[in-house]
Amino acid sequence: EAFKRINLIINWALFDGIIGFLMGLLAELKLTKAFAYAGEIAWAFVKYFIVPIMVFENKGVKDAISESQKLIKKNWGKSFMGDFKITFVSFVPFVIVLLILIFSSVLKDEFVTYGLFVLTIFVLILGFLINFSLRSIFYTALYMNVKGKLKK
């Protein structure tokens, strides 16, 4: 289904990129920093269901944003808790390796410290990839659950 709607997804990616860029510009201005952060948080919640809506309902970006806002208002608790759990699970290994790295630096063994530094970077990147993948799966499953399309 997603490949049939690739043009919608590309449009969404471009639109989301522009919004992210503008939020970043606002964050750089001292007077609008708090507004930009609040906007980023709100935007993160609004865009939860946009890709599933575009894929499963064949809606454009504007209609998908509107529908996503409605679904988030009704289901914000599920969305927030799922997001929190995914973030926690995907970054626990990074924190553990980072703590081991800090401990090893006290031992003054450069070989171990450098090796653990590389491992820390690898685990961080892996955590980001896992986080992104799990969020995509979660948003789609939550969308299908909310819309009653999930088979039990």
Side-chain angles (χ1 to χ4, degrees), residues 6 52 105:
I6 195 72
S105 66

Side-chain angles (χ1 to χ4, degrees), residues 100-116:
I100 294 170
L101 173 65
I102 291 168
F103 177 72
S104 74
S105 66
V106 172
L107 297 175
K108 306 277 190 228
D109 186 351
E110 289 181 18
F111 180 75
V112 171
T113 302
Y114 290 136
L116 284 172

Side-chain angles (χ1 to χ4, degrees), residues 33-45:
K33 192 169 279 213
F35 173 74
Y37 290 141
E40 286 177 7
I41 291 169
W43 183 244
F45 279 111

Side-chain angles (χ1 to χ4, degrees), residues 13 15 17 21 34 38 49 52 55 60 71 74 130 136 143 150:
F15 183 76
F21 176 74
F49 297 122
V55 169
L71 291 175
K74 292 178 185 175
I130 290 169
S136 297
Y143 164 81
L150 195 61

Side-chain angles (χ1 to χ4, degrees), residues 26-61:
L26 283 176
E28 292 299 318
L29 301 172
K30 295 198 185 290
L31 296 174
T32 60
K33 192 169 279 213
F35 173 74
Y37 290 141
E40 286 177 7
I41 291 169
W43 183 244
F45 279 111
V46 167
K47 67 183 191 174
Y48 269 17
F49 297 122
I50 290 180
V51 172
I53 290 169
M54 289 185 345
V55 169
F56 294 116
E57 297 181 21
N58 198 22
K59 291 186 176 181
V61 172

